[in-house]
Amino acid sequence: MPPEPDAVVPGAAVPDRARSDACPGALRLHTADDGALARVRLPGGLLTERQALALADAAEALGDGRAEITSRGNVQLRGLASDCGGELAERLRAAGLLPSDTHERVRNIVASPGPGAGPAEGSADVRAWARALDAALCASPWATGLSGKFLFALDDGRGDIAALDADVTLIAGPDGTALLRLGRAATARPVPAGRAVAAALDAAREFLDAQRAAGLRAWHLRELPDLLPPGQLPLPPAAGTRPPLGALPGGGLHVGLRFGVATAGQWRALAEAAEGELRLTPWRGVVLPGAPAGRLPALAAAGFRTGAGAGAAAGTAWDGASACTGLPGCAKSRSDVRADAARALDGTWVPNEGAALLPVHWSGCERRCGHPAGRRVDVLATGEGYRVAVTGGPQGRDTAVEVTNELMAAAVAAARRTT
């Protein structure tokens, strides 16, 4: 899969995407070294118990028996036979996971997952926004012109989703109002009550119309930062605070997964514990808003990180850690990065330092598939070891350190404490 394009810097040439993006979907499968790959869009990361079971069944019957949560709260199925596309599509349609064949790759919507079963006090229910925006996208013929990478983000006011630097971000305000941020703009447009979904959709269409008028083609708003007027209102600070693992203050549970990968059996355990809706997060975790705290021991025993017991306490090196597929699934990778990352993370204790602890992402090549937005520790396989650097955010890229696999854990731990 192609990498996310770098941010456009002042004076840099504006990219002109002469070709369509190659993002896989539920109908457009991607060929990898471990078989075909399908990406199922889940707007807002929302799943019913029945849909979670349908994904588990599809992974077991058609793929390698696992379903992987992506950095946008979607699900990937790997190890698929190249001729299974028809059967997979029928399974997804039956479960309500494929409402539009023509729009399925543009249903890229992330939303604040909680904590708790309801919205933040005084703010809009972004899950309702997600459902309405998804329906509006699928009903808009022009929306098929959006890239499969174009992302809508719906933040309930906590700042967790706003920190993802999506193409179009809605930040909930008081009494149903919102702020609309375009790309990485430092300012936003005001949105009156009841107009949030329409404003997000209008911004996406405005972007398509403006680039068509300019004779350009882009996948992301950040590639053409001056194409649209961003607005004049200052943005609230993007706290980027994720829900804690374990029992949530407002009710429900939040569990994590190593690299977002769960077996079919683990997906069934999630569906059994959910007692209602599941919310997949862009941090490759799952919020179960209706699940009681008494479900935590069983989930920990099933291999989930729960913030309590079974060696899965919050504050370990696994917090905020991610990795691309690596070998053997990707031929472009120079290493089995997930195995290397797991050895480094299992051997390193990192105290819980809250926001001061940078996320870390392991990549098998320069494409850096699945890396998080913002400032992070970048761990890049070189073929002879790893290159560790702090990158992203306004500070830019720090000096990189070349390390062997044996020294990687210490180098990563030190870099993650960089502020």
Side-chain angles (χ1 to χ4, degrees), residues 26-386:
L27 301 177
R28 180 200 283 184
L29 305 188
H30 169 78
T31 302
D33 270 21
D34 57 351
L37 177 152
R39 184 174 298 161
V40 183
R41 264 66 174 188
L42 304 174
L46 301 177
L47 274 176
T48 65
E49 296 174 49
R50 173 174 166 264
Q51 289 171 332
L53 291 173
L55 288 171
D57 291 343
E60 207 164 50
L62 305 176
D64 63 4
R66 301 179 296 174
E68 178 179 358
I69 303 173
T70 74
S71 61
R72 293 182 167 189
N74 295 318
V75 163
Q76 288 186 165
L77 303 178
R78 301 189 68 99
L80 300 168
S82 58
D83 60 353
C84 79
E87 182 178 350
L88 175 62
E90 288 306 311
R91 286 173 176 265
L92 296 177
R93 287 192 190 98
L97 292 169
L98 190 56
S100 170
D101 286 10
T102 54
H103 290 67
E104 62 99 7
R105 288 195 323 118
V106 302
R107 301 170 64 232
N108 295 305
I109 304 170
V110 293
S112 296
E121 184 177 354
S123 70
D125 184 352
V126 295
R127 267 75 63 186
W129 281 359
R131 295 184 181 98
L133 179 56
D134 182 34
L137 272 174
C138 291
S140 302
W142 59 264
T144 59
L146 294 172
S147 159
K149 294 176 175 290
F150 193 93
L151 181 63
F152 296 89
L154 312 177
D155 191 296
D156 67 5
R158 293 185 176 94
D160 51 356
I161 298 300
L164 300 181
D165 289 342
D167 294 286
V168 174
T169 301
L170 280 172
I171 304 172
D175 303 320
T177 63
L179 292 175
L180 179 73
R181 179 190 186 192
L182 301 179
R184 292 170 172 164
T187 55
R189 302 175 180 179
V191 179
R195 285 282 304 165
V197 169
L201 201 66
D202 288 347
R205 185 164 191 172
E206 186 182 351
F207 173 61
L208 287 180
D209 290 344
Q211 61 174 306
R212 188 179 301 114
L216 298 170
R217 183 170 181 172
W219 297 340
H220 290 288
L221 251 163
R222 65 174 176 262
E223 296 175 353
L224 301 172
D226 300 322
L227 200 60
L228 301 181
Q232 299 300 320
L233 294 182
L235 285 165
T241 303
R242 308 174 185 183
L245 291 178
L248 297 173
L253 306 176
H254 178 208
V255 297
L257 286 162
R258 291 187 169 201
F259 307 125
V261 178
T263 65
Q266 287 177 308
W267 279 99
R268 294 187 180 106
L270 282 172
E272 182 179 353
E275 300 191 12
E277 187 177 77
L278 296 83
R279 302 174 188 166
L280 310 190
T281 78
W283 312 290
R284 297 179 172 89
V286 184
V287 168
L288 308 174
R295 294 283 191 176
L296 278 177
L299 291 171
F304 294 97
R305 298 182 60 241
T306 63
T316 71
W318 281 92
D319 292 341
S322 58
C324 72
T325 298
L327 294 175
C330 178
K332 295 183 180 295
S333 180
R334 302 186 184 100
S335 181
D336 185 348
V337 292
R338 289 188 174 178
D340 291 342
R343 282 191 291 271
L345 294 167
D346 284 337
T348 306
W349 172 260
V350 180
N352 188 2
E353 300 179 30
L357 192 65
L358 290 177
V360 58
H361 184 73
W362 274 262
S363 301
C365 73
E366 287 78 3
R367 291 147 63 96
R368 294 177 173 84
C369 294
H371 69 73
R375 195 159 169 79
R376 63 189 181 275
V377 179
D378 180 67
V379 187
L380 176 67
T382 64
E384 298 179 354
Y386 282 84

